[in-house]
Amino acid sequence: MRLNRRDFIKASAVMCCAMSNRGANGSEGRLREYHVCLSRRACEENPELLTVVRDAGVTDVWQAAFFYGYWYDTVEGLQKGRAQVESLGLRWHPINVPLGHPGDALGDASGQTPLTPPARWKMAERFDGGKHSGTSLHDPGTAENVAAVQALAALEPDILFLDDDFRLAVGPGIIGGCFCGEHRAQFLQATGFAESAWDELREDALARRLSRVLRAWVEFTCDQLTACFRAQQAAAPNTRLGNMIMYLGAEKAGIRLTDYRDAPFRVGELMFNDASFNPLKGKTDELFSVLFHRRYARPESAWSETTAFPADQLSARNLAAKLATSTIADVRHTMFMSGMTPFPIEHWATIGPAMTKHARLHARLAGHAPKGPFKHYWGEAQRYVGDDQPYSLFLASGMPFETVETLPDDGRTFLSDFDARALEESSLKPGKGALVTRRALAKMPEATQAVGEELPALFALKRQVVQEGYTGPWVEDDKPAVCAWYPSAGAVLLWNPSEGRESYHLRAGDTAVDVEVEGLDAELVEMPQLRR
């Protein structure tokens, strides 16, 4: 069967329109929601801003409250902000930044916001002896955050998010925790290790070696952060407390992801400006992180981290393109943010129509998981000691993929370097399926192959899979395409990660469809014959 472009668009439009008004659990218009973080100051200085975002499709506004020992706004001021937001029919929520971040993570053009916690909060010490402010836990950090949550409870918010400076690592790929004398004493007492283990711990952290002592350190660090989170939860039991998880955030940053399964959960992104998002690898790394975090977050409890920073350094087209990652991974809430400075207001003219389109696409795909012969895996070694450099480019090879929690018995599972090292050292046990690594290993298990993270090599691997008997959908062209197949929905979503319009030849067995997709846009293809 071959459909021409006009018939394809007509069929897809009919199906999408039929689904567009279906919300979560059958409710109307609530399945894909759009939120934005805006300070009260920004809303008051630009009175039309709230109207513009509302008219674009935003339903919820989050306003800055307590930042690492300081009140960015008073409770009384937040009450005023809430009244302004709700007067326009929007929902209002507060957001805190509990621990601070080394450097300017706020983008406050006014320069009025302190960039470091107060002097009563101690500096953190890295495993190499260097010191930094923020992203560490000392007294009275937890107590002051608990008091702030209690004060905000008077406003009766339904949800309060902790921004991603609620972590114990400075940034992605860093083995976190504070190595100061105080935490050293606590760790050794809690674990029973001898004093000599401390030097071993520092050496293992430097070598990224998942030893017994380093594993215990990571768990100790996670215990600290989880205890702080739960203390804040207990301070306002009628408010849902959510955690924004950094890009590929996991145990090495103090974030034991299983501890947040029942909480509102913001999945981590990173490509906050055009320089990082424009490359194909930037887009696939971003999608990789979102898919990884969705292993732990229910779709109705998942929020995105759709961020531009600085506020004007990510184009409107790229902001709109980021919506595709949430649609593919079934993240129900988009959270736009840009620090304390809003996006350029003209961005919303581009973002708004994309929001409408992705809400329609998402309504068709919600509750369905992408499946395919290429497997997305991020294992224990990557989460505990890895450098957060995922093998992600296979996501744009035009072959469908799925996320797995353990090494499966089918398909081809892509291993990033630290999981590959664990495989080589036999601490990671393979399943019966094939494994793909960036480089050849000294001990290459059967059915493991080295494939460089380059498109020509991945296109060749895609054709090899088809030659071996794969009959599901795939993009025949050797050009970048994210091909997400939802067999339970009988549909394929094609995301074009390139700047210009592309025509794709989508094939499944004897069925072929030519699909045109605008640059950075996505299109849905109905393939009911492949429903499973």
Side-chain angles (χ1 to χ4, degrees):
M1 179 184 73
R2 185 179 299 275
L3 301 179
N4 63 37
R5 181 169 178 267
R6 179 178 298 175
D7 290 340
F8 154 71
I9 291 174
K10 183 185 296 184
S12 294
V14 169
M15 180 61 71
C16 287
C17 288
M19 301 296 294
S20 63
N21 292 323
R22 220 177 69 193
N25 300 319
S27 61
E28 295 294 316
R30 293 291 304 277
L31 192 143
R32 180 72 174 269
E33 292 183 340
Y34 296 100
H35 301 224
V36 64
C37 296
L38 296 170
S39 71
R40 178 171 67 93
R41 185 185 304 157
C43 294
E44 291 179 346
E45 290 175 351
N46 190 348
E48 68 173 326
L49 181 58
L50 285 174
T51 301
V52 169
V53 301
R54 181 198 63 186
D55 292 349
V58 166
T59 57
D60 294 67
V61 174
W62 297 73
Q63 293 192 328
F66 181 78
F67 284 10
Y68 44 86
Y70 308 98
W71 282 96
Y72 181 83
D73 204 344
T74 64
V75 173
E76 293 75 17
L78 291 166
Q79 286 178 315
K80 289 176 58 180
R82 180 176 192 164
Q84 181 188 20
V85 167
E86 291 180 346
S87 72
L88 293 172
L90 298 163
R91 295 187 290 269
W92 175 93
H93 317 275
I95 191 165
N96 287 355
V97 180
L99 300 180
H101 184 287
D104 182 7
L106 298 177
D108 185 354
S110 72
Q112 297 177 16
T113 307
L115 298 181
T116 61
R120 63 183 179 273
W121 289 28
K122 296 180 183 178
M123 298 279 282
E125 184 174 326
R126 299 193 303 266
F127 63 80
D128 61 3
K131 293 189 176 182
H132 62 86
S133 62
T135 58
S136 67
L137 267 175
H138 294 91
D139 292 336
T142 295
E144 292 192 19
N145 276 290
V146 165
V149 171
Q150 288 173 329
L152 289 169
L155 299 177
E156 299 182 344
D158 57 343
I159 304 178
L160 166 63
F161 254 113
L162 307 183
D163 205 288
D164 77 333
D165 296 335
F166 186 65
R167 64 190 194 221
L168 298 181
V170 172
I174 294 174
I175 298 173
C178 177
F179 288 75
C180 70
E182 178 183 337
H183 283 111
R184 166 181 171 165
Q186 291 175 8
F187 171 69
L188 294 176
Q189 181 179 8
T191 60
F193 282 109
E195 287 284 338
S196 59
W198 191 251
D199 289 338
E200 179 187 342
L201 171 62
R202 287 178 178 271
E203 292 171 2
D204 290 340
L206 182 63
R208 295 182 180 272
R209 185 166 46 238
L210 187 52
S211 63
R212 178 168 168 259
V213 66
L214 183 52
R215 180 187 296 276
W217 172 257
V218 170
E219 294 295 343
F220 168 77
T221 303
C222 290
D223 289 344
Q224 285 187 304
L225 197 68
T226 297
C228 181
F229 184 84
R230 289 177 177 164
Q232 293 177 76
Q233 276 183 317
N238 295 323
T239 299
R240 296 174 66 206
L241 190 66
N243 191 4
M244 176 179 156
I245 312 297
M246 64 190 283
Y247 170 79
L248 288 173
E251 288 86 348
K252 63 178 167 282
I255 306 166
R256 186 189 292 118
L257 293 166
T258 54
D259 291 350
Y260 303 97
R261 283 190 186 273
D262 296 326
F265 190 123
R266 286 178 67 187
V267 300
E269 301 173 16
L270 183 66
M271 313 308 162
F272 301 152
N273 54 45
D274 288 339
S276 58
F277 189 75
N278 280 338
L280 179 63
K281 185 74 163 65
K283 297 181 182 71
T284 59
D285 281 355
E286 189 108 315
L287 178 58
F288 190 100
S289 179
V290 173
L291 290 167
F292 162 54
H293 283 151
R294 268 285 285 110
R295 284 168 48 183
Y296 302 89
R298 294 191 301 269
E300 63 274 10
S301 297
W303 273 256
S304 75
E305 185 195 353
T306 307
T307 298
F309 191 85
D312 61 352
Q313 294 301 298
L314 189 69
S315 70
R317 282 192 79 208
N318 279 339
L319 269 168
K322 275 178 172 274
L323 299 180
T325 62
S326 289
T327 303
I328 291 166
D330 196 8
V331 173
R332 302 284 171 87
H333 310 273
T334 295
M335 179 80 85
F336 292 109
M337 65 185 307
S338 54
M340 296 296 100
T341 302
F343 303 148
I345 200 165
E346 58 270 18
H347 274 22
W348 293 99
T350 298
I351 302 170
M355 291 160 59
T356 300
K357 177 172 184 176
H358 277 278
R360 186 178 71 241
L361 295 173
H362 201 153
R364 176 69 179 89
L365 301 174
H368 302 280
K371 300 291 183 181
F374 281 1
K375 313 295 183 180
H376 168 298
Y377 178 75
W378 196 244
E380 183 182 73
Q382 289 290 161
R383 302 196 316 269
Y384 277 67
V385 297
D387 58 1
D388 288 357
Q389 300 295 322
Y391 191 155
S392 70
L393 204 58
F394 72 90
L395 295 170
S397 67
M399 179 62 78
F401 50 84
E402 64 184 85
T403 303
V404 296
E405 297 195 27
T406 58
L407 296 183
D409 291 335
D410 64 329
R412 279 172 169 77
T413 302
F414 290 78
L415 298 185
S416 299
D417 293 349
F418 283 82
D419 287 329
R421 186 174 78 175
L423 180 73
E424 191 172 33
E425 295 171 351
S426 300
S427 57
L428 177 64
K429 304 301 181 184
K432 297 178 182 178
L435 301 174
V436 180
T437 61
R438 286 189 179 107
R439 60 174 178 80
L441 307 178
K443 291 167 59 179
M444 290 285 280
E446 188 177 354
T448 301
Q449 59 189 123
V451 179
E453 193 177 8
E454 301 169 348
L455 282 178
L458 291 166
F459 291 148
L461 181 62
K462 172 177 66 174
R463 295 183 182 282
Q464 181 182 341
V465 170
V466 173
Q467 290 168 3
E468 291 171 353
Y470 171 71
T471 58
W474 62 292
V475 174
E476 232 177 334
D477 315 89
D478 285 351
K479 60 180 69 171
V482 177
C483 178
W485 175 33
Y486 304 84
S488 59
V492 172
L493 187 72
L494 286 181
W495 180 29
N496 175 9
S498 303
E499 292 287 329
R501 177 188 294 188
E502 294 286 355
S503 178
Y504 297 109
H505 198 61
L506 182 66
R507 177 173 290 280
D510 294 331
T511 301
V513 181
D514 292 316
V515 186
E516 289 190 13
V517 187
E518 295 294 337
L520 304 179
D521 204 355
E523 296 292 348
L524 186 72
V525 183
E526 296 292 339
M527 303 191 92
Q529 72 277 18
L530 299 178
R531 187 184 300 272
R532 296 180 186 172

